[in-house]
Amino acid sequence: MRMTSTISSNQNNKSQSFIKKKFKVFWHKILNLHETNMEVGLCHYYMDNNFDATIRFKLILKFYPNDIEAQYNLGRCYMKKNKFHEAFRIFEELANRHSMAKYQWEKSINSFNIKTIPSTIINEAAHHITTYRIYHDKKDMALHSIVLNALSNHQDTEKKLNILHICCGIGEIGTFLKKASIECDIFGIDTAPIATEHCEKLWFHKTGKVYKKTQTRSTTKLLDPMESLYNAVFCTERISYHANLEKILKKFKQFLHQNGIIVIALFNTENNDVEFNEIHDYFQFSQEYVKSTAEKISLEVLDIYNSKGNFSTANNNSSLYIMQLKN
């Protein structure tokens, strides 16, 4: 009887131990489910894959119905779907518990007061767009050709060029220039550590490191003075998070050698000089306004290239401007 009781007790202990181990494995998967789906969902959101992003945030809420971050991001997905009532309801409920939900709610009431996008959103976008593009790299040959033509037409490519790449992302422009046999030193800066770390490791077998130097900067110090002057300044993304275009172009101008060029991508609008897109959180500029602003600070717009999509990131109407210092 005692032997039977002991065997039964051992079996119960083993069974309980097995259940505890399985529960730990299950719980670990649940925790990873939250983290993984949040990361993947944000990548989809910032690459405008709104359907996939919505699925990820809803999946999190199935297991964590009170998760504030998932609720907030689902609200942003509703904004992109033009489901404004559902989005505003979420932002209003979260306004006192989530700083960015408060921003979204206040923006929905009066977007005219928005002059710059919060650094939290800029940094989050930079991280997730770069992460997505590292693993889903689709080379933009149109952009590459424009950059190469800009250098060939307006700079002496027989001499070694000094290039500043602002918001360097995954470094595809730098890599393309090295493959095109453009002799240059490239300095890459970005707000996302994952971007500068990625660019720092880029290597081309004929020339060695693609980027001579990289640096991570905060959004507020991104356009602070540099150590050198440059023949060309490239920026094909994220500058549209600021409404003051004149201030941005003045910053770019201070980086240039005499006759240096700027290659910059900006979102378009035909309605006003400057317009805030409250759904996607960026500013749009009319082409006439860009040209007049450049003229005002002694920059000449040499060429404008139109695109149905931003040359680096989102599927929205944008233009690439080639500018040069006036003599």
Side-chain angles (χ1 to χ4, degrees):
M1 189 69 168
R2 286 181 181 176
M3 185 177 292
T4 303
S5 177
T6 302
I7 292 173
S8 178
S9 177
N10 288 338
Q11 287 176 339
N12 286 335
N13 289 338
K14 286 181 180 180
S15 179
Q16 289 176 6
S17 177
F18 176 79
I19 291 171
K20 285 181 180 179
K21 286 180 180 178
K22 286 296 182 181
F23 180 79
K24 285 181 179 180
V25 171
F26 173 74
W27 186 247
H28 181 68
K29 287 182 177 180
I30 289 293
L31 292 177
N32 283 342
L33 179 145
H34 180 279
E35 185 177 321
T36 300
N37 280 283
M38 185 65 73
E39 184 78 11
V40 174
L42 286 168
C43 284
H44 282 306
Y45 173 81
Y46 282 109
M47 294 307 295
D48 276 349
N49 302 326
N50 206 50
F51 178 79
D52 293 317
T54 301
I55 289 175
R56 296 290 180 168
F57 300 134
K58 282 186 174 180
L59 180 60
I60 293 172
L61 291 170
K62 286 286 185 182
F63 290 89
Y64 301 90
N66 297 319
D67 189 277
I68 294 175
E69 201 66 29
Q71 291 175 27
Y72 162 69
N73 286 311
L74 183 60
R76 292 203 290 172
C77 288
Y78 286 150
M79 282 285 288
K80 283 191 176 183
K81 288 181 176 180
N82 296 325
K83 293 184 176 181
F84 301 119
H85 179 74
E86 292 93 328
F88 297 160
R89 178 180 55 78
I90 291 174
F91 296 146
E92 185 178 21
E93 289 177 359
L94 298 179
N96 294 325
R97 294 182 289 157
H98 192 290
S99 60
M100 288 300 97
K102 184 178 181 181
Y103 157 77
Q104 297 287 352
W105 171 243
E106 292 175 347
K107 178 184 72 175
S108 68
I109 297 172
N110 185 5
S111 64
F112 293 104
N113 292 330
I114 306 295
K115 301 302 178 186
T116 187
I117 310 303
S119 58
T120 299
I121 291 178
I122 299 173
N123 292 333
E124 186 181 79
H127 173 79
H128 289 97
I129 289 170
T130 303
T131 300
Y132 186 94
R133 291 174 64 214
I134 286 173
Y135 297 105
H136 303 85
D137 182 19
K138 294 181 180 179
K139 292 180 171 56
D140 192 336
M141 298 310 296
L143 169 64
H144 298 168
S145 298
I146 292 169
V147 169
L148 182 59
N149 288 338
L151 285 176
S152 301
N153 294 337
H154 305 295
Q155 294 294 306
D156 185 359
T157 53
E158 296 299 317
K159 297 179 181 179
K160 192 171 188 178
L161 301 176
N162 205 23
I163 295 173
L164 174 62
H165 191 181
I166 298 172
C167 300
C168 53
I170 62 172
E172 58 179 325
I173 291 177
T175 302
F176 177 77
L177 292 178
K178 294 292 183 177
K179 290 181 178 179
S181 300
I182 299 295
E183 189 178 0
C184 56
D185 287 334
I186 309 175
F187 177 32
I189 62 173
D190 206 292
T191 59
I194 191 173
T196 51
E197 290 167 9
H198 179 79
C199 288
E200 183 71 27
K201 297 174 184 176
L202 291 176
W203 185 272
F204 182 54
H205 68 281
K206 291 184 179 180
T207 59
K209 288 183 68 173
V210 171
Y211 286 80
K212 184 177 182 180
K213 182 182 176 183
T214 63
Q215 187 179 89
T216 304
R217 291 187 168 195
S218 68
T219 55
T220 56
K221 295 183 178 181
L222 182 65
L223 300 181
D224 278 3
M226 306 291 173
E227 296 176 357
S228 306
L229 294 178
Y230 298 89
N231 303 104
V233 177
F234 301 143
C235 184
T236 59
E237 55 186 313
R238 294 207 294 282
I239 289 301
S240 289
Y241 288 127
H242 303 274
N244 193 334
L245 181 62
E246 182 178 339
K247 184 177 180 180
I248 292 169
L249 293 181
K250 280 182 177 178
K251 292 278 191 180
F252 277 44
K253 182 182 171 183
Q254 72 180 354
F255 304 146
L256 292 177
H257 273 302
Q258 187 177 6
N259 298 322
I261 63 169
I262 295 169
V263 181
I264 182 172
L266 298 168
F267 290 112
N268 294 328
T269 182
E270 297 179 358
N271 302 322
N272 302 292
D273 288 345
V274 183
E275 192 171 278
F276 176 57
N277 187 312
E278 60 186 85
I279 295 177
H280 292 88
D281 283 308
Y282 58 65
F283 295 91
Q284 301 164 258
F285 307 92
S286 71
Q287 290 189 356
E288 288 304 314
Y289 177 74
V290 174
K291 288 190 284 186
S292 65
T293 303
E295 176 78 20
K296 185 178 177 181
I297 60 172
S298 299
L299 284 170
E300 181 183 2
V301 176
L302 303 173
D303 295 296
I304 302 175
Y305 298 88
N306 296 318
S307 171
K308 291 182 180 179
N310 183 311
F311 290 89
S312 301
T313 54
N315 296 317
N316 293 282
N317 184 30
S318 61
S319 292
L320 196 70
Y321 296 84
I322 315 298
M323 303 179 184
Q324 188 171 38
L325 278 174
K326 286 187 174 182
N327 292 325

